[in-house]
Amino acid sequence: MARILAIDYGKKRTGIAVTDELQIIASGLTTVLTKDLISFLKTYLKKEDVALFLVGEPKQMDNTVSESEALIKPFLEKLTKQFPEIPILRVDERFTSKMAFKTMIDSGLKKKQRQNKALVDEISATLILQSYLYSK
């Protein structure tokens, strides 16, 4: 089977997580500068088989679309154009950043390490992926 790749898209940085080939375990992969995201994905897809892109869908508490969705729409168009054979599924990403921060605290990371926003983005992508796997 091919991997599932989750994307926590951000204005500056984007967190990325993937499953194993059996699509059982979600693991943080990396955080890349958003401007380099498509290039990173092209390189990654040359080495790995990906069956599905999960892209976080930011929503407000009342279930309306968040302002940051305006940044994500153009990215989704590029993603579809670059990789038309890989389907894209949106996943509600409410609270993932807060949950990522809590995960960092619970795992015993020191305050300096918890200020690493790239790590928060990667953990957020992993949480998006885990929530999808649990719902499957």
Side-chain angles (χ1 to χ4, degrees):
M1 278 200 314
R3 299 174 188 274
I4 299 171
L5 189 138
I7 299 170
D8 181 32
Y9 189 86
K11 188 175 182 178
K12 294 179 184 176
R13 288 172 317 279
T14 296
I16 302 172
V18 294
T19 63
D20 59 309
E21 290 166 340
L22 296 175
Q23 299 180 1
I24 297 171
I25 299 168
S27 301
L29 180 62
T30 190
T31 301
V32 298
L33 293 174
T34 298
K35 67 181 181 66
D36 300 330
L37 179 56
I38 294 293
S39 174
F40 172 85
L41 291 173
K42 284 179 183 177
T43 302
Y44 184 80
L45 290 170
K46 286 178 185 171
K47 297 180 284 187
E48 299 291 344
D49 191 20
V50 173
L52 175 66
F53 288 126
L54 296 179
V55 178
E57 184 174 24
K59 291 186 177 185
Q60 304 288 350
M61 289 302 295
D62 64 0
N63 217 29
T64 58
V65 177
S66 170
E67 298 167 5
S68 53
E69 182 68 13
L71 299 171
I72 297 173
K73 288 281 187 196
F75 164 69
L76 291 172
E77 291 170 11
K78 283 183 196 172
L79 191 62
T80 301
K81 192 174 184 177
Q82 285 292 327
F83 312 105
E85 69 285 355
I86 302 175
I88 301 169
L89 182 66
R90 303 297 304 278
V91 177
D92 187 346
E93 67 172 43
R94 277 180 284 195
F95 308 116
T96 55
S97 292
K98 287 181 183 174
M99 289 169 49
F101 192 72
K102 173 123 177 57
T103 300
M104 293 168 79
I105 290 171
D106 293 347
S107 67
L109 289 179
K110 304 222 181 297
K111 186 175 182 179
K112 183 98 171 149
Q113 294 169 306
R114 293 193 310 256
Q115 292 171 342
N116 179 352
K117 292 185 179 174
L119 184 56
V120 173
D121 294 336
E122 183 179 326
I123 293 171
S124 294
T126 307
L127 292 170
I128 290 168
L129 185 51
Q130 281 180 330
S131 72
Y132 172 77
L133 292 175
Y134 289 145
S135 72
K136 224 167 78 154

